[in-house]
Amino acid sequence: MTDSGLNLRPDSVLTERSWDLFRSHAARVQSLTYDDVKLNDGISGGLIIRTLVVHPWGILPNLRAVHWHICESELSHPLAFCPPSLERMVLHLGGDDSLTESARRLLYSLSSSLPNRIKYFEFGTSSSSTQDADLATALTAFLTSQSGLQELRLADYEIRDPVVVATVCQALTHLHTVSANVHNVTKEVFRVILGELAGRGGSLRCVWLGLTSPNVSPNLWPETIRLADIEPILQLT
């Protein structure tokens, strides 16, 4: 095994002592953070493949939280770090169109590999508007597969369709915290979104919505928000 863990050749010989050493450390890891902007090289694909051959149940068996900040790497690696113990996932992506397509495939794969495990999920991306619809569909599919999700934060991702909110809220009956940005909506649509969130009154405790305003059309933001506009969310008990 190389000192850095990078550029592992497929024919490299890893001794049993090396695997014993790896297992002794891997079992103790509960949180993993990966940021390819801060790294000169990505995670070795060869290392992941070889490790999964020996440990098909997962590379870090007791991992509870992962933080992925990816701008350049392919998004195949996160699937190798999804043990049954995983509860928290942060996924921040750059805006390259090819990476956005990888993100869409990743979210669909996570929907089947992580059914109802995640309790905290944070997602952000600067994808181009041409792929927003496909990405939103994939994101919705993933979220609705996580019926035990308790906290959802869409840090750098703008919700453009209230149907997304409605679909997610119907599936996530344990959701208690929602933080998201809402893009280019009228007050009427805003009330629809709040109404859907209010429907989770049995569990919902905290809602934060950031409103992004267009520069055109008097029917859109900025508009004065009155007490009646937030009435649905005020009805939460």
Side-chain angles (χ1 to χ4, degrees):
M1 184 178 299
T2 62
D3 293 338
S4 63
L6 300 172
N7 301 321
L8 187 69
R9 299 190 311 274
D11 59 348
S12 296
V13 176
L14 302 179
T15 66
E16 186 60 33
R17 182 176 179 277
S18 295
W19 287 123
D20 288 341
L21 180 62
F22 172 81
R23 281 190 288 265
S24 68
H25 290 290
R28 297 199 298 266
V29 177
Q30 296 189 18
S31 179
L32 171 68
T33 297
Y34 175 81
D35 188 338
D36 66 4
V37 174
K38 298 180 180 179
L39 298 174
N40 293 326
D41 295 289
I43 299 177
S44 168
L47 178 59
I48 289 179
I49 292 172
R50 292 297 302 276
T51 305
L52 287 176
V53 169
V54 179
H55 304 279
W57 55 87
I59 294 178
L60 303 175
N62 297 317
L63 194 64
R64 298 176 64 86
V66 290
H67 304 258
W68 297 98
H69 301 266
I70 302 175
C71 292
E72 298 177 359
S73 304
E74 284 295 321
L75 285 177
S76 57
H77 299 331
L79 292 172
F81 297 90
C82 295
S85 58
L86 192 64
E87 296 181 344
R88 297 172 63 89
M89 175 175 285
V90 176
L91 186 59
H92 284 257
L93 310 176
D96 182 78
D97 284 352
S98 63
L99 193 61
T100 302
E101 174 60 21
S102 296
R104 187 185 67 82
R105 292 196 303 268
L106 172 64
L107 288 168
Y108 279 123
S109 298
L110 289 173
S111 299
S112 57
S113 62
L114 281 174
N116 196 24
R117 293 184 191 172
I118 300 298
K119 295 181 179 179
Y120 174 99
F121 183 68
E122 180 177 323
F123 182 76
T125 181
S126 54
S127 66
S128 66
S129 58
T130 57
Q131 299 203 24
D132 278 344
D134 290 340
L135 187 59
T137 301
L139 179 60
T140 302
F142 169 72
L143 291 175
T144 54
S145 74
Q146 305 299 316
S147 59
L149 190 68
Q150 299 176 4
E151 188 168 350
L152 172 62
R153 296 185 181 275
L154 302 178
D156 297 306
Y157 179 80
E158 296 177 345
I159 297 176
R160 298 170 182 264
D161 187 350
V163 173
V164 173
V165 179
T167 304
V168 170
C169 284
Q170 289 172 8
L172 305 182
T173 57
H174 299 286
L175 194 66
H176 64 66
T177 299
V178 176
S179 175
N181 292 314
V182 182
H183 182 76
N184 286 9
V185 297
T186 64
K187 286 199 297 183
E188 288 71 22
V189 173
F190 182 56
R191 285 175 60 86
V192 171
I193 291 175
L194 290 182
E196 294 293 344
L197 291 172
R200 290 273 65 81
S203 62
L204 199 60
R205 293 293 179 268
C206 179
V207 175
W208 184 95
L209 294 177
L211 304 174
T212 58
S213 303
N215 297 320
V216 296
S217 180
N219 296 322
L220 299 177
W221 299 100
E223 297 185 50
T224 300
I225 302 176
R226 303 183 186 279
L227 188 61
D229 298 323
I230 61 173
E231 179 184 358
I233 212 70
L234 294 176
Q235 294 176 357
L236 290 173
T237 58

